[in-house]
Amino acid sequence: APGQPLLELAPELVGREAELIDLAAGRLDRLEIPMFSRVGAAGQPRYCRMLLKPRAGGAGIFLFIEDITAIGEIQQRLMQSRNELRLLADALDRKNRDLVAANLELRKLADVRTTFVSMAAHELRTPLAVMRGYADMLLDETLGDLNSAQRESLLTLRRGSDRLLEVVNNLLDLTRLEAGRMELVMQPQDMGALVRAAAREFRPLFETACQRFQVAVAPDLPAVLADETRVFQILSNLLSNASKYTPAGGLIVLRAGPAPSPAELLVSVRDTGVGIPADELDRLGSLFFRARTANQVDARGVGLGLYITNSLVQLHGGRLWFESHEGLGSTFYVTFLLADAP
Ligand code: ADP
């Protein structure tokens, strides 16, 4: 509006009078206020940009006001989003720090548990082995003749200490596996000989349990790369489970032969036992898991053996799997890598 004072028209220029004088005198080329807000006609906020330029010959000032509300609103929103993002990033940072601290605490607790289990198991093992040794000595009658009641009592004592020793040894293996301290001595092994040795060791157990036992070792098996003691442990575990979960009169078959892959050798243990329910097959082999069917036979256990067996097989570079039908029986398969893979 002509004649209206500039500062009344554009109060945003208050405080910049010196620049306005320079502008009017042609000493300043332009003056810009990139963004300011005004209240619009309907009371809503408007964002504007102001540009002032000198008129040629010192004849006043041009004043341009541009409505940039759309851009202004976007910029406002952008700034708000940026602030929100910064808040979220801070919160995430705090959560991350909490997680790292919680993880450290968990690891410490796990270490304490592993150390405790390992120490307790070591402490239990020596007196248990001594007890078992004395039971053996008495049963051999080196300390005098036994009557049948004494023999029965000693046999019960020996079975009990055997079971305890097995649990204690499994706990020790578990702590070794968890700490990544299970060390294998890998050497070329004659799997046929190892399978036959395990069969010899287990035949009396099957006879006592009134189970039939067959062994089938394919001729001329190539050597595998394995830790002899641990292979024996793997075979023992599968054979002992086959016996435990098969009622009297059942059949157990131990086989060693070629595997589907030419770089491996396959060992299997089949039984005609209680089997595993179909809905529990995928949980078998997890720590401390026992199938429902385990209660159908008088087989005590804690669900450690299969987990350790599977871990040992994997440490050897092999695989463990099984097929089972409830009430019909199970077959456990294990592969070992050949010492000289073709
Ligand atoms: P445990 O025998 O001490 O319970 P394992 O880890 O050796 O522990 O086995 C875990 C579970 O797997 C057993 O409790 C049993 O339910 C099932 N299982 C293992 N082997 C057999 C088998 N040959 N037949 C039927 N069930 C089996």
Side-chain angles (χ1 to χ4, degrees):
Q4 194 177 355
L6 183 59
L7 293 185
E8 213 172 89
L9 199 68
E12 293 78 15
L13 291 169
V14 172
R16 308 193 65 167
E17 290 82 355
E19 285 165 276
L20 287 172
I21 292 167
D22 282 348
L23 202 67
R27 287 192 294 274
L28 196 64
D29 174 45
R30 56 185 277 137
L31 178 60
E32 184 180 352
I33 298 182
M35 198 188 318
F36 62 94
S37 67
R38 286 273 173 93
V39 180
Q44 81 285 25
R46 314 288 311 166
Y47 294 97
C48 304
R49 186 168 82 100
M50 191 187 302
L51 182 66
L52 296 105
K53 282 193 133 318
R55 269 181 82 177
I61 297 171
F62 283 122
L63 169 66
F64 305 98
I65 291 182
E66 187 184 1
D67 188 325
I68 53 162
T69 302
I71 298 174
E73 276 175 359
I74 289 171
Q75 277 185 354
Q76 275 303 104
R77 248 180 279 146
L78 207 75
M79 202 187 303
Q80 198 173 334
S81 300
R82 235 181 254 143
N83 289 341
E84 281 168 5
L85 221 79
R86 199 167 311 134
L87 277 177
L88 279 176
D90 284 353
L92 209 73
D93 236 36
R94 271 197 304 278
K95 285 253 177 308
N96 257 341
R97 274 199 298 275
D98 289 354
L99 256 175
V100 169
N103 258 341
L104 257 173
E105 194 61 28
L106 266 177
R107 192 160 324 142
K108 251 190 268 166
L109 278 175
D111 282 352
V112 168
R113 191 197 58 179
T114 305
T115 311
F116 170 76
V117 172
S118 163
M119 275 172 60
H122 269 296
E123 285 302 311
L124 285 170
R125 196 156 65 158
T126 315
L128 264 174
V130 172
M131 275 163 64
R132 198 200 179 283
Y134 273 103
D136 264 350
M137 209 155 76
L138 287 165
L139 279 164
D140 286 348
E141 302 193 317
T142 41
L143 299 177
D145 293 346
L146 296 172
N147 64 37
S148 66
Q150 288 168 331
R151 174 168 290 278
E152 272 314 305
S153 309
L154 281 169
L155 283 171
T156 309
L157 183 76
R158 188 165 70 180
R159 272 198 304 276
S161 38
D162 275 350
R163 227 184 15 247
L164 272 176
L165 266 172
E166 190 190 312
V167 172
V168 164
N169 282 333
N170 276 343
L171 280 175
L172 276 174
D173 279 348
L174 183 68
T175 56
R176 281 195 197 104
L177 283 168
E178 280 192 339
R181 277 191 286 108
M182 176 70 80
E183 274 153 31
L184 302 182
V185 185
M186 300 290 267
Q187 275 169 343
Q189 306 287 348
D190 177 353
M191 186 53 86
L194 290 180
V195 163
R196 276 189 283 265
R200 251 196 319 280
E201 186 117 340
F202 273 80
R203 201 172 281 282
L205 177 80
F206 294 124
E207 273 165 19
T208 313
C210 301
Q211 291 155 339
R212 282 170 300 138
F213 180 46
Q214 293 171 3
V215 186
V217 178
D220 305 324
L221 285 177
V224 296
L225 199 60
D227 180 318
E228 185 178 352
T229 318
R230 298 300 178 183
V231 170
F232 197 77
Q233 189 178 348
I234 293 167
L235 298 177
S236 300
N237 207 291
L238 296 180
L239 288 171
S240 125
N241 273 354
S243 178
K244 262 164 77 176
Y245 298 106
T246 302
L251 170 71
I252 286 122
V253 183
L254 169 64
R255 280 177 197 283
S261 151
E264 291 174 334
L265 207 143
L266 183 69
V267 176
S268 67
V269 178
R270 180 165 72 85
D271 65 55
T272 56
V274 292
I276 297 138
D279 62 326
E280 291 190 327
L281 280 173
D282 56 345
R283 288 164 67 200
L284 205 79
S286 22
L287 207 47
F288 303 121
F289 181 76
R290 304 197 75 211
R292 279 199 303 280
T293 39
N295 298 324
Q296 291 174 13
V297 279
D298 181 28
R300 281 168 226 196
V302 287
L304 266 174
L306 210 51
Y307 175 84
I308 291 169
T309 305
N310 189 26
S311 307
L312 286 175
V313 170
Q314 285 187 11
L315 276 181
H316 274 86
R319 290 170 299 129
L320 180 148
W321 74 97
F322 45 83
E323 289 161 3
S324 187
H325 296 283
E326 188 172 353
L328 291 176
S330 321
T331 310
F332 285 79
Y333 300 92
V334 175
T335 59
F336 290 93
L337 294 177
L338 296 189
D340 296 307

